Amino acid sequence: MDVIPRVVTYLPQHRPAVVELSERAWEPVFAQLRENVPSYVYNAFYPRGWWERQQHDIETLLDEEAEQTLVALIGDEVCGWVSVRLHKEDSMGEIYIL
């Protein structure tokens, strides 16, 4: 049987799951990035490691732009999330992070 996630507005109780899901999703990406860019470049962007900076950016987004964030749930479990930015000046939008 297929399970179709339901999409809901982000709520503060979703935060731990969103942060944890993000770390699991991006860990392999950043591991590959570290292998494929010069170490001085990687270290300039992530002097304390990629996760510290990424976690800070995610948590800041959730604190400051929660109203533009949606989460996908299967039952009560977060299985995905997305945050968008809407630009009034040109009536454009972007998927900011997912």
Side-chain angles (χ1 to χ4, degrees):
M1 174 198 314
D2 290 334
V3 177
I4 299 173
R6 62 190 166 93
V7 177
V8 300
T9 302
Y10 168 82
L11 297 172
Q13 63 259 31
H14 298 133
R15 183 185 184 115
V18 166
V19 171
E20 191 271 333
L21 180 62
S22 300
E23 182 177 18
R24 284 189 301 127
W26 291 323
E27 182 178 29
V29 174
F30 280 94
Q32 187 172 26
L33 179 68
R34 185 174 194 129
E35 292 175 10
N36 291 297
V37 299
S39 62
Y40 70 89
V41 173
Y42 186 91
N43 292 334
F45 279 94
Y46 309 109
R48 293 189 208 124
W50 73 272
W51 180 239
E52 184 174 321
R53 178 173 172 178
Q54 194 74 8
Q55 183 178 11
H56 174 267
D57 291 349
I58 293 165
E59 290 177 344
T60 299
L61 174 79
L62 295 175
D63 290 342
E64 296 176 2
E65 301 180 52
E67 70 282 351
Q68 295 180 172
T69 301
L70 301 170
V71 296
L73 301 174
I74 295 177
D76 291 329
E77 282 193 54
V78 174
C79 61
W81 70 285
V82 64
S83 187
V84 299
R85 287 199 169 153
L86 305 173
H87 306 286
K88 293 177 185 174
E89 63 277 359
D90 60 6
S91 298
M92 297 290 286
E94 68 176 300
I95 295 174
Y96 181 66
I97 192 169
L98 63 112

